[in-house]
Amino acid sequence: MSGPRNPETPPNVGGGDPEPERTSMSSLQSHPDSERLEARAAGELAPQEAQALDAHLEVCGRCRAELEGWTLLLAELGSLPERAPTPDFAARVMAQVDVERVRQGAVRPSPLARLVEGLGDPVFSALRRLRRHRRAEVRHPATGAAPAGGANTGASGSTRHLTPGGIQDYLEGALAARIRARVDAHLAMCPGCSGEVAGWRVLFRDIEALPRISPAAGFADRVMDRVRVEAVAEVTARQQVPLATRVGQRVARGLDRIRPRSRRGWLVAGGLAAAPTFGVVAVVASVVLSPLLSFPDLLIFFQWRVFAVAGALGGRVLATLAETPLLHATWEALSGLSQAPPVALLAAFALAAALVATASLVVYRNLIAPSLMGETHAQPTA
Amino acid sequence: MEYAALDDREVVALACKGRETAFRELLARYERPVFSLVVRMVRDPSLAEDLAQEAFVKAFHALGSYDPRYKFSSWLFKIANNLTIDHLRKKQLDTVSIHGAPSAGSSEEEARTSIAVVDTGETPEEYTANRELGGQIEVAIGRLRPEYRTAILLRHVEGHTYEEVAEIMEVPLGTVKTYIHRGRSELKDFLAEVAA
Ligand SMILES: [Zn+2]
Ligand SMILES: [Zn+2]
């Protein structure tokens, strides 16, 4: 069953990256094994261990990619409902433990700590087994029994089972090769998970076996009765002729290609689009509010700057251009504008800003698909 | 005119030149896929016929605006899907006003109505349609939320890629993945429930 490769899967970059730089701590020089990365993804490493590993991940793209894969594989864990085996199991365990002493013992090894460790270890492993049991229960609902954690693993004595999301990615061929190999290895020795995978395979097969359904006979005729073929041809022909339209379509496609794809993207784009206007408004406002500055002064100042830059950059060409009637007329218009009362100018700029903001909003609302149908769809609960 | 050798875009180009046979070829290629999706969404064959017709008529009249860089099938499914969803949304509003508490004559009637709805989550027409479509997997699919259903049908029955499904449904790729994964999980639960 090889579905198309899921683009969200991180590329398998094993070995492609340069070795990480040598860092001061010796533990960072070797790559952590998959076991540890898997534990990191599941959030099961002690804080100190996790920190050391994160330091390595900082400099090592290869391990980062693998971690991403594990995260993907384990991603759906959090959304699964958890059911404790007995309501007060954890409470009964914890009643026998002085948590604070165990915690301190774990941080600072000392004679006392070692003593406490003797007490703490069974508790931690009991809790870890409890976690695993919960998961297994969730994940192997068909068999009802949790596969014995540790029965099917090597040195570490613990194993993690496949999540529904992981199994689905696996069956669709969406996993990176390294992770896929690990999954294969796990399946080879975990009857619980291979049973689950078999169940999922059946579901995939059943869905894919769904037949297409034919409409009642004569469907095509009924459609064609309603289609005005000549009108379509006419409209299309008209649309295809003008060069300007085609150029316009090109531009639109170009814009479409660079347009933001996410809500956040649109917000940023909208903000950027509106920013210059707000900037101008700010400048205008400061001019209006400042008793020392006036618009004519400011325009003359800019005129000087523009001609200075033009002179420096283009010399004759730009100077000639500057003397053309068009530029002169533009300049006149701007000067005329400067004669207008400042409040009117401010209002004009505010209006422009509002228009830009509204435009951004409209674009945002129209181009971003509203979250598809039925936010309030009644879900029959089984 | 031998159409078998032509791809969708070439057939569309001929349709744009006013060849009726090209329109018929597009219909022959897509009437079943489009109808299958729509009928599984609305669970009512005669309504599905109307919506599928509407989708083709609308698509054909808008052929001039079809951008050949996209797959024709994605474009067509997008139109069909939008029409279907609009219909489901409208129906949802109607259903609320019909089954809502205010319209119920007595509290007894109200209770009966609400129990019927909660029990199966199906209207009577849907109930019949589900039985007509037959098979437990069909029933299970019918119980999925519409967006899960669309995504799974497009992916598995029509074989679209995740990107194409995202394009058709106009939602981000990650959302499509979530729809499909959750939908499949629910299907699995439904079927396990039936088997038990
Ligand atoms: Zn590394
Ligand atoms: Zn397992």
Side-chain angles (χ1 to χ4, degrees):
Chain A
M1 183 155 325
S2 59
R5 196 186 153 79
N6 190 329
E8 281 180 326
T9 308
N12 182 28
V13 292
D17 280 295
E19 281 299 299
E21 284 169 39
R22 297 199 145 238
T23 46
S24 54
M25 274 198 275
S26 63
S27 70
L28 302 188
Q29 287 172 7
S30 59
H31 298 288
D33 59 19
S34 294
E35 203 75 38
R36 282 169 62 80
L37 288 169
E38 191 184 341
R40 179 75 189 88
E44 290 183 350
L45 287 183
Q48 284 169 325
E49 271 186 292
Q51 242 173 24
L53 188 59
D54 287 350
H56 174 78
L57 290 169
E58 201 94 350
V59 295
C60 180
R62 180 177 129 186
C63 290
R64 225 167 26 237
E66 192 180 342
L67 177 74
E68 245 174 80
W70 283 116
T71 310
L72 184 83
L73 192 67
L74 301 170
E76 302 218 335
L77 256 188
S79 63
L80 289 174
E82 289 209 337
R83 281 171 287 147
T86 56
D88 56 346
F89 180 81
R92 285 206 312 273
V93 173
M94 293 313 289
Q96 302 168 43
V97 180
D98 183 339
V99 177
E100 188 51 29
R101 279 168 68 202
V102 173
R103 196 185 61 78
Q104 285 172 355
V107 174
R108 259 190 286 116
S110 68
L112 176 67
R114 255 174 280 141
L115 190 74
V116 174
E117 243 174 54
L119 176 67
D121 263 351
V123 175
F124 278 135
S125 44
L127 286 175
R128 209 179 293 167
R129 235 175 294 139
L130 169 64
R131 272 191 75 179
R132 215 170 296 132
H133 179 62
R134 280 182 183 170
R135 267 198 222 155
E137 197 180 45
V138 168
R139 242 161 302 127
H140 296 155
T143 62
N152 44 26
T153 55
S156 79
S158 78
T159 194
R160 231 161 267 104
H161 297 283
L162 298 175
T163 63
I167 293 174
Q168 293 183 58
D169 284 343
Y170 173 76
L171 287 177
E172 282 200 287
L175 293 179
R178 262 182 107 182
I179 295 166
R180 194 179 171 80
R182 282 293 308 267
V183 172
D184 282 332
H186 179 84
L187 288 177
M189 54 188 188
C190 179
C193 285
S194 30
E196 276 287 280
V197 169
W200 281 99
R201 249 187 238 285
V202 170
L203 176 72
F204 272 66
R205 198 199 56 210
D206 284 355
I207 308 177
E208 269 159 21
L210 281 173
R212 283 191 177 141
I213 303 168
S214 296
F219 180 82
D221 294 331
R222 292 193 292 281
V223 170
M224 290 314 289
D225 283 347
R226 298 174 56 191
V227 175
R228 286 161 291 121
V229 174
E230 321 75 43
V232 173
E234 234 171 72
V235 168
T236 333
R238 215 183 312 136
Q239 273 168 346
Q240 277 168 354
V241 173
L243 182 73
T245 315
R246 256 181 290 161
V247 171
Q249 281 169 348
R250 274 236 156 138
V251 171
R253 276 179 216 160
L255 288 176
D256 184 61
R257 214 171 300 168
I258 60 167
R259 79 179 161 88
R261 303 281 157 183
S262 69
R263 276 158 191 273
R264 196 180 305 166
W266 274 111
L267 282 178
V268 170
L272 286 178
T277 311
F278 286 118
V280 170
V281 169
V283 168
V284 169
S286 66
V287 169
V288 168
L289 295 175
S290 162
L292 297 177
L293 275 174
S294 71
F295 269 104
D297 294 346
L298 202 65
L299 276 176
I300 288 164
F301 171 74
F302 277 125
Q303 186 177 25
W304 278 104
R305 294 304 303 162
V306 167
F307 281 128
V309 170
L313 280 181
R316 271 187 85 92
V317 178
L318 280 176
T320 314
L321 204 68
E323 282 160 14
T324 59
L326 181 70
L327 198 76
H328 184 71
T330 311
W331 191 253
E332 287 291 293
L334 268 176
S335 307
L337 203 66
S338 74
Q339 307 302 320
V343 181
L345 277 179
L346 188 62
F349 276 118
L351 185 69
L355 282 175
V356 169
T358 315
S360 310
L361 189 71
V362 167
V363 168
Y364 168 77
R365 305 263 317 228
N366 281 296
L367 286 186
I368 294 296
S371 84
L372 201 75
M373 64 195 153
E375 294 82 3
T376 57
H377 180 78
Q379 176 69 5
T381 41
Chain B
M1 169 60 68
E2 186 52 65
Y3 283 107
L6 301 182
D7 70 17
D8 287 350
R9 292 176 183 86
E10 293 167 317
V11 178
V12 168
L14 289 172
C16 285
K17 287 182 187 146
R19 299 251 180 93
E20 178 164 345
T21 47
F23 287 96
R24 288 192 176 270
E25 173 67 18
L26 292 172
L27 273 162
R29 289 183 188 187
Y30 290 109
E31 62 175 15
R32 295 184 75 220
V34 167
F35 183 78
S36 299
L37 175 75
V38 176
V39 76
R40 285 194 171 104
M41 293 305 293
V42 301
R43 332 268 326 155
D44 173 349
S46 78
L47 176 60
E49 158 95 24
D50 291 346
L51 287 168
Q53 267 194 38
E54 191 62 39
F56 276 104
V57 171
K58 207 174 164 190
F60 285 168
H61 283 151
L63 267 189
S65 68
Y66 162 65
D67 181 344
R69 285 180 316 128
Y70 297 102
K71 272 177 81 172
F72 174 75
S73 60
S74 296
W75 183 74
L76 179 61
F77 273 110
K78 189 194 268 197
I79 293 171
N81 186 47
N82 284 340
L83 282 169
T84 308
I85 285 155
D86 283 348
H87 172 82
L88 289 176
R89 278 211 190 107
K90 264 183 231 143
K91 198 184 93 175
Q92 208 176 9
L93 291 177
D94 293 348
T95 308
V96 168
S97 64
I98 290 166
H99 293 291
S103 70
S106 67
S107 61
E108 191 188 303
E109 189 183 335
E110 191 183 317
R112 192 163 40 79
T113 320
S114 66
I115 286 167
V117 170
V118 170
D119 253 355
T120 62
E122 297 166 331
T123 64
E125 309 87 70
E126 283 173 340
Y127 183 87
T128 318
N130 284 347
R131 287 349 171 242
E132 273 170 14
L133 287 171
Q136 257 142 31
I137 185 79
E138 290 282 9
V139 176
I141 292 230
R143 288 170 71 179
L144 293 177
R145 315 165 37 159
E147 56 268 46
Y148 292 1
R149 218 186 300 170
T150 312
I152 284 185
L153 292 172
L154 288 172
R155 174 80 192 89
H156 284 298
V157 180
E158 298 309 326
H160 288 285
T161 64
Y162 278 81
E163 290 93 334
E164 286 161 2
V165 177
E167 177 75 30
I168 292 167
M169 295 182 71
E170 302 180 293
V171 297
L173 196 58
T175 309
V176 166
K177 200 183 163 187
T178 307
Y179 285 171
I180 291 179
H181 274 216
R182 297 223 178 115
R184 284 197 206 115
S185 291
E186 285 182 14
L187 285 179
K188 199 156 175 291
D189 292 347
F190 288 150
L191 294 174
E193 214 175 275
V194 172

